[in-house]
């Protein structure tokens, strides 16, 4: 397929995944910030800003950090790259550009999401119903893609975008939480801290399945980094990325495939105790760099119009 | 039952002879309409709007705020054409397009028609659309206008006349196709009762035509679009998708060793045929407008080598120019040795002194159009204009008479249309699409455009026009496609 088309599909997926992840993060922060936890309420509120790298931007436009402002900024801001509104707008533009490559049902899903979002804009719903709506639209999108799109390159580039974005988002979230945890010593705080993270990554039930009632920094890190049970874990994402790269037609992308394979091996053969010895925050920073590298290689091999 | 308004006196109404008497081709539909509640019709219309919006059948209007998209209003009272009438139109269209293609071949080679004194040399050679770069080029099958949109109107005498030829980048076929889909969705019962010639195979015929335009075996075809912000982008994407070919922009293409390639995820791929939805001027910044970002540098040289086919060819604009329009009947006689089946509207060319004098006397009665105008802009509709407007226009035409032609105000036929008051007659035209490949193929019907404002003759979508579904009724032994 055309490089430009592959790029549009890839970024379409990344924006939609980003929107869903932002909604999940907002929700999780919201519930944790309501807990009686003293001074760290502010830290919890700021976490989504740190994850998305938008702290400076937020303070440029807002004078207070509270839930209303955070919601306005991360859900409705028209211009910055992490806002849900912006993500849906870019997604719809890209979908418009690749209409010939996605099915009618997929296009209608994205287009309807966009139309409904704009209708809501003048009097936005509360955060929780809004985040539910975002997740629902995301599930619908995924459903139409899985249900109606032929398993060719269009499908592969869409999925590739999803998992690159997911791996990146998950790693950022883990990173921020890890840095916070390093500065914490309160056991009860810990518990809510980790369940919030699991919730944001849709992994709470998966954790219960694997670890029963045991919950601590190690089990959470192991699940979300090294195990493939939870769909948003780093390992699950890398497994998908590797499979997809193998399925894309042609001989381009040798370096992207190599980088992705190496990263997967580290996760397959790593152990949580080794990672903790190195320091999880350090590991996660390195992971972020490498996954961005994989993204760059993908850009060069398939998507760049050079 | 909805209020049905009678046809205007002196106007040919497609459905009604008078308020109680439908024409033969509409008898069955008229019965159906008589028994449908107005409320149901209105709710169907609302349903259609929602569907169109959801599916995104919009077009961008230039000059409106960034990203503004509009729905083209769709009216579901069909325009019905009998099988016999269509047979006549079809034969006339084939003849006319064959003559136009022969003309194009001639003026870019021997120029016999100029030497015979039938078309003035300066009309051709000084025409801004005449492309010197096309002289002496041999095109496969001698086809220049692979896709032609011929605008027809029916006058109050009941006859069809050609209003205009469109040989550059004729558009609107996607609305024809989407309208049919919408009608079948809204009124399935009607399609069961009426035997209507299908149109959905147009993309199929288009692809066949494009593939036949190249001498290459199994050629790679692409649709070249200016991009998402072009007003007809929906159609570009639609046709590319229906044909199963790539939709490319200039930036996706490059030239190497005099062949054209597109950038793909599996590396560069050769392109043999371009269905280009770009005007000549934007195709190649090295040959035409140097500020164009939409084309491919060097495309003209690859084209001249014969290494890529463009549909339509470069330089077809000289033949659909309003100044050339009056000569088309002569072209039919000269190249085909036949009398024209479809007639032109009587036309005065203001570059001609006698014609100018006549037009100047009768401005209040005539429609005066710019030779190079498009989309209904820059024209005068005499009978609808104020005295000031007429005088102002008189000044304008005096400055540059060669830029204008005039025609009598046509009494365009009307077709019942659902408006606020009920079902009332509104003026329509018809644009069939003629495909020229190994044979000439025309999908039955075409796009019917309707002027939604009462009494208005302006059907352009950018000026408030809408569209209708066109039904060509099937005869028992009639085949679906035409070959002439």
């Amino acid at each position: 397929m055309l490089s430009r088309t592959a790029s549009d599909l890839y970024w379409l997926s990344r924006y939609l995944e980003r929107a869903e992840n932002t909604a999940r993060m907002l929700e999780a922060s919201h519930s944790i910030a309501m807990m009686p936890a003293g001074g760290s309420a502010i830290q919890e509120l700021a976490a989504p800003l740190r994850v998305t790298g938008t702290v400076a931007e937020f303070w440029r436009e807002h004078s207070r950090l509270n839930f209303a402002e955070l919601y306005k900024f991360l859900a409705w801001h028209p211009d910055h790259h992490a806002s849900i509104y912006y993500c849906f707008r870019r997604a719809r533009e890209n979908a418009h550009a690749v209409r010939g490559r996605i099915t009618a049902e997929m296009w209608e899903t994205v287009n309807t999401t966009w139309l409904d979002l704009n209708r809501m804009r003048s009097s936005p719903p509360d955060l929780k119903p809004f985040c539910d709506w975002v997740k629902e639209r995301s599930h619908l999108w995924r459903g139409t893609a899985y249900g109606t799109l032929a398993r060719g390159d269009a499908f592969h580039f869409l999925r590739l975008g999803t998992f690159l974005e997911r791996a990146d988002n998950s790693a950022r979230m883990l990173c921020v939480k890890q840095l916070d945890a390093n500065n914490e010593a309160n056991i009860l705080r810990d518990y809510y801290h980790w369940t919030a993270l699991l919730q944001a990554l849709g992994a709470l039930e998966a954790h219960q399945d694997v670890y029963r009632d045991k919950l601590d920094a190690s089990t959470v890190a192991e699940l979300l980094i090294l195990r493939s049970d939870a769909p948003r874990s780093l390992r699950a994402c890398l497994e998908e990325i590797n499979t997809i790269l193998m399925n894309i037609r042609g001989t381009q992308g040798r370096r992207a495939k190599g980088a992705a394979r190496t990263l997967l091996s580290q996760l397959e053969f790593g152990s949580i105790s080794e990672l903790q010895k190195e320091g999880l925050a350090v590991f996660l920073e390195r992971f972020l760099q490498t996954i961005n590298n994989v993204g760059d290689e993908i850009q060069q091999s398939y998507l760049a119009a050079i | 039952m909805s209020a049905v308004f009678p046809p205007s006196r002196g106007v040919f109404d497609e459905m009604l002879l008078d308020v109680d008497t439908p024409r033969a081709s509409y008898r069955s539909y008229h019965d159906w309409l008589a028994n449908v509640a107005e409320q149901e019709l209105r709710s169907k219309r609302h349903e259609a709007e929602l569907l169109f919006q959801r599916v995104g059948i919009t077009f961008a209007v230039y000059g409106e705020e960034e990203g503004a998209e509009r729905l083209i209003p769709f009216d579901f009272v069909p325009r019905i054409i009998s099988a016999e009438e269509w047979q006549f139109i079809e034969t006339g269209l084939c003849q006319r397009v064959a003559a136009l293609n022969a003309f194009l071949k001639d003026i870019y080679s021997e120029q016999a028609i100029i030497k015979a004194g039938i078309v003035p040399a300066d009309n051709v050679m000084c025409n801004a659309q005449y492309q010197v770069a096309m002289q002496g080029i041999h095109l496969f099958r001698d086809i220049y206008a692979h896709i032609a949109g011929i605008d027809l109107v029916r006058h109050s005498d009941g006859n069809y006349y050609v209003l205009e030829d469109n040989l550059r980048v004729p558009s609107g076929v996607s609305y024809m196709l989407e309208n049919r889909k919408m009608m079948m969705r809204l009124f399935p019962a009607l399609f069961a009762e009426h035997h209507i010639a299908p149109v959905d195979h147009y993309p199929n015929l288009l692809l066949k035509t494009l593939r036949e335009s190249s001498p290459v075996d199994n050629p790679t075809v692409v649709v070249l679009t200016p991009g998402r912000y072009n007003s007809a982008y929906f159609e570009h994407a639609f046709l590319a998708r229906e044909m199963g070919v790539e939709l490319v922009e200039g930036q996706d293409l490059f030239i190497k060793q005099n062949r054209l390639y597109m950038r793909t995820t599996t590396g560069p791929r050769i392109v043999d045929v371009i269905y280009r939805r770009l005007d000549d001027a934007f195709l190649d910044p090295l040959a035409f407008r140097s500020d164009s970002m939409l084309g491919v540098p060097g495309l003209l040289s690859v084209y001249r080598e014969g290494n890529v086919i463009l549909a339509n060819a470069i330089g077809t604009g000289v033949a659909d120019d309003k100044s050339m329009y009056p000569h088309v009947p002569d072209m039919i006689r000269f190249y085909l040795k036949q009398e024209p089946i479809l007639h032109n509207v009587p036309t005065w060319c203001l570059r001609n002194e006698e014609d100018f004098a006549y037009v100047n006397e009768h401005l209040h009665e005539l429609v005066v159009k710019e030779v190079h105008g498009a989309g209904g802009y820059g024209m005068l509709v005499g009978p609808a204009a104020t005295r000031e407007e007429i005088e102002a226009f008189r000044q304008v035409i005096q400055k540059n008479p060669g830029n204008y032609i005039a025609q009598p105000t046509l009494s365009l036929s009307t077709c019942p249309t659902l408006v606020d008051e009920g079902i009332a007659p509104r003026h329509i035209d018809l644009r069939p699409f003629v495909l020229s490949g190994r044979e000439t193929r025309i999908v039955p019907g075409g796009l019917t455009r309707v002027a939604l404002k009462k009494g208005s003759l302006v059907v352009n979508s950018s000026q408030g026009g809408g569209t209708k579904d066109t039904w060509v009724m099937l005869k028992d032994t009639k085949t679906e496609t035409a070959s002439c």
Side-chain angles (χ1 to χ4, degrees):
Chain A
M1 68 170 37
L2 279 186
S3 298
R4 183 173 48 86
T5 306
S7 176
D8 286 340
L9 287 164
Y10 173 80
W11 283 102
L12 160 57
S13 259
R14 287 197 69 151
Y15 281 117
L16 287 176
E17 180 69 17
R18 194 176 296 180
E20 185 186 339
N21 288 338
T22 305
R24 286 179 183 278
M25 244 197 318
L26 271 174
E27 258 185 330
S29 279
H30 191 225
S31 34
I32 210 48
M34 290 196 288
M35 304 273 161
S40 41
I42 278 288
Q43 196 164 46
E44 206 54 62
L45 275 181
L49 295 175
R50 289 160 63 208
V51 172
T52 54
T54 50
V55 178
E57 241 175 299
F58 177 86
W59 288 113
R60 263 204 291 275
E61 308 201 7
H62 300 257
S63 47
R64 275 181 320 175
L65 175 54
N66 59 30
F67 231 90
E69 299 297 299
L70 188 70
Y71 175 46
K72 220 192 315 180
F73 182 70
L74 281 180
W76 296 101
H77 198 288
D79 286 324
H80 82 77
H81 64 273
S83 116
I84 293 174
Y85 183 85
Y86 178 83
C87 289
F88 277 137
R89 173 158 69 89
R90 295 300 307 268
R92 195 255 184 185
E93 280 170 11
N94 282 25
H96 193 217
V98 298
R99 274 201 67 183
R101 283 297 180 157
I102 56 179
T103 65
E105 281 165 78
M106 290 168 71
W107 160 253
E108 284 179 39
T109 304
V110 175
N111 196 33
T112 306
T113 301
W114 174 244
L115 292 171
D116 290 349
L117 185 69
N118 274 286
R119 264 180 278 246
M120 276 188 245
R121 205 174 173 198
S122 48
S123 101
D126 288 341
L127 179 127
K128 188 75 177 60
F130 179 69
C131 291
D132 283 342
W133 177 83
V134 173
K135 286 188 290 181
E136 194 184 281
R137 296 311 298 178
S138 191
H139 295 322
L140 197 59
W141 160 257
R142 214 181 339 269
T144 55
Y146 261 104
T148 64
L149 189 59
R151 296 311 191 246
D153 281 346
F155 184 77
H156 298 316
F157 281 103
L158 276 174
R159 300 307 287 155
L160 195 58
T162 300
F163 291 108
L164 253 303
E165 184 71 22
R166 189 176 291 182
D168 175 84
N169 280 181
S170 298
R172 285 165 184 264
M173 260 197 266
L174 280 165
C175 205
V176 165
K177 290 294 178 184
Q178 192 52 50
L179 292 171
D180 285 351
N182 289 347
N183 307 327
E184 284 286 354
N186 181 330
I187 303 250
L188 189 64
R189 179 86 188 79
D190 244 17
Y191 172 80
Y192 284 111
H193 186 105
W194 292 121
T195 46
L197 176 63
L198 286 170
Q199 218 164 10
L201 290 175
L204 193 57
E205 279 106 333
H207 188 278
Q208 273 169 354
D209 278 350
V210 176
Y211 298 102
R212 304 287 156 208
D213 54 358
K214 181 165 187 275
L215 175 75
D216 60 40
S218 300
T219 60
V220 174
E222 186 181 62
L223 179 71
L224 295 177
I225 299 175
L226 300 178
R227 291 186 70 106
S228 45
D229 307 84
R232 283 184 156 67
S233 79
L234 301 187
R235 169 136 170 214
C237 294
L238 259 309
E239 278 177 358
E240 292 280 0
I241 290 170
N242 273 280
T243 310
I244 294 165
L245 287 173
M246 287 303 133
N247 282 326
I248 292 174
R249 280 184 304 161
T251 53
Q252 319 285 98
R254 195 177 47 84
R255 287 178 24 183
K257 289 169 181 156
R261 181 60 67 80
T262 308
L263 198 47
L264 178 60
S265 309
Q266 287 173 15
L267 299 175
E268 273 176 331
F269 301 111
S271 84
I272 196 63
S273 47
E274 276 173 22
L275 292 188
Q276 281 167 327
K277 217 185 322 167
E278 182 192 351
L280 280 174
V282 173
F283 168 78
L284 288 166
E285 294 270 14
R286 215 161 22 87
F287 178 92
L288 270 171
Q289 256 177 0
T290 318
I291 196 72
N292 278 324
N293 222 22
V294 175
D296 282 342
E297 292 297 345
I298 289 171
Q299 193 76 25
Q300 292 284 11
S301 311
Y302 303 107
L303 313 180
I306 304 296
Chain B
M1 204 205 103
S2 334
V4 177
F5 289 80
S8 313
R9 196 113 44 101
V11 174
F12 186 101
D13 188 85
E14 299 287 340
M15 180 167 88
L16 297 171
L17 278 165
D18 61 54
V19 73
D20 302 303
T21 323
R23 296 183 190 274
S25 51
Y26 267 94
R27 224 168 269 148
S28 168
Y29 182 81
H30 183 255
D31 278 343
W32 175 85
L33 195 61
N35 293 313
V36 174
E38 178 165 345
Q39 192 43 44
E40 191 186 332
L41 288 181
R42 294 204 183 272
S43 78
K44 288 281 186 192
R45 179 156 86 171
H46 184 61
E47 191 186 328
E49 273 168 19
L50 288 178
L51 281 170
F52 275 131
Q53 198 179 48
R54 213 176 78 188
V55 178
I57 302 172
T58 57
F59 74 110
V61 180
Y62 293 131
E64 292 205 353
E65 54 170 72
E66 199 199 304
E69 290 176 19
R70 255 208 260 146
L71 290 180
I72 295 195
F74 164 67
D75 183 83
F76 52 62
V77 179
R79 185 256 189 80
I80 302 180
I81 301 177
S82 71
E84 296 77 25
E85 241 176 10
W86 177 251
Q87 177 88 295
F88 169 81
I89 294 171
E90 209 172 53
T91 320
L93 289 170
C94 281
Q95 181 196 57
R96 191 172 177 105
V97 172
L100 286 166
N101 268 314
F103 172 70
L104 284 163
K105 158 123 179 98
D106 185 36
I107 57 162
Y108 287 118
S109 54
E110 294 96 46
Q111 303 194 327
I113 201 170
I114 297 178
K115 292 184 182 124
I118 293 172
V119 175
D122 68 316
N123 219 2
V124 174
M125 305 307 289
C126 299
N127 193 305
Q129 296 292 322
Y130 185 80
Q131 295 290 359
V132 177
M134 288 299 289
Q135 279 179 341
I137 307 255
H138 167 69
L139 291 184
F140 187 58
R141 297 193 205 277
D142 291 332
I143 303 175
Y144 286 72
H146 304 80
I147 301 122
I150 310 292
D151 290 350
L152 302 175
V153 295
R154 200 209 287 264
H155 187 50
S156 49
D157 62 2
N159 291 321
Y160 284 95
Y161 294 89
V162 176
L163 189 62
E164 193 174 79
D165 303 298
N166 295 286
L167 305 175
R168 292 174 236 186
V169 190
S171 70
V173 77
S174 57
Y175 298 108
M176 173 188 89
L177 296 168
E178 288 289 349
N179 287 352
R180 173 59 58 92
K181 255 199 245 165
M182 183 61 65
M183 286 289 282
M184 291 179 78
R185 189 170 174 159
L186 294 173
F187 306 108
L190 278 176
F191 285 84
E193 283 162 27
H194 294 79
H195 297 278
I196 303 162
V199 300
D200 339 65
H201 54 298
Y202 178 85
N204 207 286
L205 296 185
L206 177 61
L207 181 60
K208 221 186 268 202
T209 302
L210 291 170
R211 288 165 69 90
E212 287 170 5
S213 72
S214 170
V216 170
D217 198 32
N218 200 14
T220 300
V221 176
V222 301
V223 177
L224 174 62
T225 177
R228 256 198 351 263
Y229 301 108
N230 180 273
S231 64
Y233 177 75
F234 164 76
E235 182 160 304
H236 310 161
F238 177 85
L239 291 174
R241 187 169 72 243
E242 294 287 314
M243 290 193 287
V245 304
E246 292 288 358
L247 179 68
V248 305
E249 293 175 24
Q251 50 168 300
D252 301 315
L253 303 173
F254 66 97
I255 290 166
K256 195 166 142 183
Q257 289 167 346
N258 228 12
R259 301 300 309 261
L260 184 70
Y261 293 88
M262 57 176 161
R263 301 178 221 280
T264 74
T265 52
T266 49
R269 233 179 101 199
I270 283 197
V271 174
D272 299 299
V273 179
I274 304 182
Y275 174 27
R276 48 90 168 213
R277 296 297 296 243
L278 243 83
D279 289 334
D280 287 358
F282 296 96
L283 277 174
D284 183 345
L286 294 180
F288 306 112
R289 277 182 67 149
S290 57
D291 62 349
S292 169
M293 307 273 286
L294 306 173
V296 190
L299 182 61
L300 180 65
S301 65
V302 181
Y303 183 56
R304 285 165 56 93
E305 279 300 307
N307 286 342
V308 74
I309 304 292
L310 295 178
N312 293 332
I314 291 176
T316 54
V318 64
D320 72 10
D321 195 271
K322 291 186 181 61
S323 66
M324 207 57 71
Y325 165 86
H327 297 293
V328 178
D330 295 324
M331 292 176 202
I332 296 173
R333 293 180 190 107
F334 186 75
Y335 297 109
L336 306 179
K337 314 275 186 277
Q338 295 171 6
E339 278 305 301
I341 295 166
L342 282 169
H343 298 288
N344 271 13
V345 172
T347 305
W348 292 272
C349 299
L350 274 65
R351 56 177 277 148
N352 196 304
E353 266 177 40
E354 265 175 43
D355 286 7
F356 182 88
Y358 179 86
V359 172
N360 211 20
E361 285 290 305
H362 296 93
L363 268 180
H364 53 284
E365 289 170 10
L366 301 172
V367 176
V368 186
K369 302 187 215 181
E370 277 184 22
V371 160
H372 302 299
Y377 296 101
M379 65 186 236
L380 176 81
V381 180
T386 64
R387 201 167 322 171
E388 290 80 31
E389 285 169 344
I390 292 181
E391 287 315 308
F393 207 79
R394 197 192 301 279
Q395 301 305 315
V396 171
I397 60 172
Q398 255 157 17
K399 290 199 194 103
N400 187 7
N403 195 34
Y404 294 91
I405 56 161
Q407 295 170 328
T409 32
L410 290 168
S411 175
L412 261 56
S413 62
T414 53
C415 185
T417 304
L418 183 63
V419 295
D420 291 333
E421 307 88 71
I423 299 188
R426 292 288 186 268
H427 293 287
I428 54 170
D429 76 354
L430 179 67
R431 178 182 289 186
F433 295 91
V434 183
L435 299 172
S436 302
R438 202 184 303 141
E439 38 183 77
T440 307
R441 303 174 179 103
I442 312 178
V443 153
L447 183 67
T448 293
R449 299 184 297 177
V450 54
L452 293 172
K453 218 173 86 175
K454 183 171 174 188
S456 167
L457 296 169
V458 178
V459 298
N460 297 90
S461 48
S462 52
Q463 292 172 298
T467 61
K468 284 172 172 294
D469 192 15
T470 310
W471 291 3
V472 169
M473 305 313 282
L474 282 170
K475 243 204 312 223
D476 300 294
T477 51
K478 189 156 175 54
T479 52
E480 291 169 3
T481 59
S483 291
C484 332

